[in-house]
Amino acid sequence: MAVGEILSGKVTGITKFGAFVALPEGKNGMVHISEIAQTYVGDIHEHLQEGQEVRVKIIAVDQNGRINLSIKKAVSDQQTRSGGRTARQAGGAYGGRPQNGGRRRPPRQTAAREPDAPLSFEDKLKHFMQDSESRMSDIRHNMDRKNGSRRRK
């Protein structure tokens, strides 16, 4: 298994921060809540169920061997190969972990509106909630690392 590979797996557990997926070769990985769908995910149970078959993309493997997965990247890659619109072209959701060292990034512009048109209140609220959830997740993760907490198996 390598980073960038797309696999099929079965959801084995759901938590408030993500879902665990059983992969081939007896491996397990986790899909963070921000990697489940192109839209804001408030409740994972609205998108996934235990025992559900899903296509996932391996986005990282850390030094401890934990596998980080993404459902939304597997779907957007599949759409790109099949000639469909990618999430960004379709005005995908704003969210996920910062990839730029934690620096604040501006909200994405959606393809459905004029570049000069102001965001609606709902769009601003959606972007704020996604950014806030991502930041809180990062803070909790960093605090857990500082406190020496470990994942339960």
Side-chain angles (χ1 to χ4, degrees), residues 3 58-68 141 145 151:
V3 174
I58 299 175
I59 56 175
V61 179
D62 69 9
Q63 61 245 22
N64 297 327
R66 292 183 295 220
I67 302 171
N68 296 325
H141 175 73
R145 287 180 50 208
R151 282 189 184 178

Side-chain angles (χ1 to χ4, degrees), residues 12 18 29 32 34 49 55 59 64 67 73 94 98 100-101 121:
T12 58
H32 187 265
S34 64
Q49 299 173 357
R55 298 208 28 95
I59 56 175
N64 297 327
I67 302 171
K73 289 181 181 170
Y94 173 78
N100 56 0
F121 175 76

Side-chain angles (χ1 to χ4, degrees), residues 5 8 12 18 22 28 30 43 48 55-56 71 78 83 87 89-90 93 104 125-128 138-139 147-148:
E5 192 173 350
S8 289
T12 58
N28 288 310
M30 192 194 80
D43 181 14
L48 297 174
R55 298 208 28 95
V56 293
I71 294 173
Q78 190 174 19
Q89 291 168 335
R104 189 172 201 166
L125 181 61
K126 178 180 166 186
H127 290 188
F128 171 79
D138 288 341
I139 290 169
N147 294 333

Side-chain angles (χ1 to χ4, degrees), residues 15-142:
T15 65
K16 66 180 181 178
F17 57 84
F20 293 94
V21 178
L23 300 171
E25 302 175 19
K27 303 272 185 174
N28 288 310
M30 192 194 80
V31 180
H32 187 265
I33 190 169
S34 64
E35 294 293 331
I36 291 177
Q38 300 293 348
T39 59
Y40 176 75
V41 177
D43 181 14
I44 297 172
H45 291 92
E46 293 175 2
H47 297 269
L48 297 174
Q49 299 173 357
E50 286 192 34
Q52 179 179 349
E53 288 285 329
V54 292
R55 298 208 28 95
V56 293
K57 181 175 184 176
I58 299 175
I59 56 175
V61 179
D62 69 9
Q63 61 245 22
N64 297 327
R66 292 183 295 220
I67 302 171
N68 296 325
L69 305 168
S70 174
I71 294 173
K72 72 181 181 181
K73 289 181 181 170
V75 170
S76 67
D77 283 359
Q78 190 174 19
Q79 287 176 344
T80 301
R81 283 191 215 119
S82 66
R85 297 173 67 197
T86 64
R88 182 166 285 184
Q89 291 168 335
Y94 173 78
R97 286 205 128 98
Q99 300 296 320
N100 56 0
R103 292 185 303 270
R104 189 172 201 166
R105 57 188 168 191
R108 290 183 188 160
Q109 301 292 322
T110 60
R113 63 181 190 82
E114 298 287 324
D116 297 335
L119 289 171
S120 70
F121 175 76
E122 289 80 14
D123 289 338
K124 288 179 183 178
L125 181 61
K126 178 180 166 186
H127 290 188
F128 171 79
M129 292 298 292
Q130 290 171 340
D131 188 44
S132 175
E133 179 63 31
S134 175
R135 288 169 185 259
M136 289 303 295
S137 176
D138 288 341
I139 290 169
R140 283 190 295 272
H141 175 73
N142 289 332

